[in-house]
Amino acid sequence: LTSLIFAAFMLYRRRDVKRLFAYSSIEHMGIIAFAFGVGGALANFAGLLHMVMHSLTKSAIFFAVGHVSQVKGTQKIDEIGGLTATHPWLGWGLALGVVAIVGLPPLGIFMSEFLIVSSTFARHPWLAVPLVLGLLVALGALLLRLNSLAFGEPRGGTAPTQTSYLPMFAHLGLVLAAWIYLPAPLVAWFQHVARLLG
C-alpha cells in the first residue's frame, strides 16, 4: 500500500516519459501485492486478473512510448506534445493505453481494480480509503501527463514512424475484450489458483 501511494505521488514529478510509466508499474505492483495481502478468493482472483491486464496494457504503452521517443527525438515530457496531430495512430494508441492503465471503463483494468476495492471494503474497510486515494492520485497524474503528451500544441520531431501498430492495438484489443468476456478456462484457472492461495 505504501509503494502504491508513494509511486502515485511520484508520477507528478517525473519528467521522462519512460520513467513516468516505470513508476506507474511500481504503483500497479503495489496494487497486486495489496490484493494478495487482503486475501480471500475474490481479492486473489482480482490480483491474478490485474497481473494479466497490467502486463497487456503496459506492454502496449511501452511499445507506444518507445516509438514516441524515436519520432520526437526525446524522452522529455516537456518536449513532446500534440501526438494525436503529428502521429494520430501513435497518439490515440497511447491515449487508449493511459485510459486503460488508470482503470477507466470499459477496459479490463477497471474490472480488476473494482474487484480489489470491493474485496477490501468487505474484509478491511479501513484500508479501502488509502487504496482509493492512491488510485485517484495516480489517475490524476497520468491524465495530466496524457493531456500534454497527446493533445495541445505539437512539440518535438515529426518524423514518420516506420513500424506496424498491430502489436500495440492487439494488446489493447485484448484488454477491451476482457471487459466484455473472459474465457471460461481462464476464469476457472484463476479461481483454482485463488483458492490455493487461500
Side-chain angles (χ1 to χ4, degrees):
L1 189 58
T2 302
S3 66
L4 187 167
I5 295 170
F6 173 77
F9 278 103
M10 289 299 288
L11 290 171
Y12 288 91
R13 298 180 57 84
R14 298 307 95 201
R15 298 292 178 261
D16 181 292
V17 67
K18 288 187 178 179
R19 285 180 181 266
L20 174 72
F21 290 108
Y23 270 85
S24 170
S25 294
I26 295 171
E27 177 224 347
H28 283 276
M29 293 308 104
I31 294 170
I32 293 164
F34 178 83
F36 293 134
V38 168
L42 181 60
N44 288 336
F45 179 92
L48 292 166
L49 180 61
H50 199 81
M51 287 173 65
V52 174
M53 293 298 103
H54 173 262
S55 64
L56 289 170
T57 306
K58 195 55 69 68
S59 60
I61 287 174
F62 273 109
F63 178 92
V65 166
H67 289 291
V68 167
S69 64
Q70 288 179 354
V71 298
K72 293 296 185 180
T74 182
Q75 292 180 193
K76 294 180 180 178
I77 294 172
D78 293 341
E79 297 176 11
I80 302 171
L83 278 168
T84 53
T86 60
H87 302 84
W89 287 102
L90 198 53
W92 286 110
L94 179 62
L96 183 59
V98 171
V99 167
I101 209 68
V102 298
L104 294 178
L107 296 142
I109 286 185
F110 170 79
M111 184 167 50
S112 61
E113 287 187 353
F114 178 80
L115 292 175
I116 292 168
V117 171
S118 299
S119 60
T120 305
F121 269 114
R123 295 175 67 92
H124 306 286
W126 59 278
L127 287 177
V129 174
L131 171 64
V132 172
L133 172 67
L135 294 175
L136 291 175
V137 168
L139 181 147
L142 288 174
L143 291 183
L144 178 68
R145 293 300 187 209
L146 174 65
N147 187 52
S148 65
L149 288 167
F151 308 106
E153 188 73 21
R155 298 186 301 275
T158 57
T161 55
Q162 304 294 328
T163 186
S164 168
Y165 294 121
L166 181 61
M168 176 175 64
F169 285 109
H171 283 202
L172 293 174
L174 288 171
V175 174
L176 177 60
W179 164 262
I180 301 165
Y181 172 73
L182 283 174
L186 182 65
V187 172
W189 181 70
F190 280 177
Q191 289 173 334
H192 176 68
V193 175
R195 285 193 298 271
L196 290 177
L197 291 171

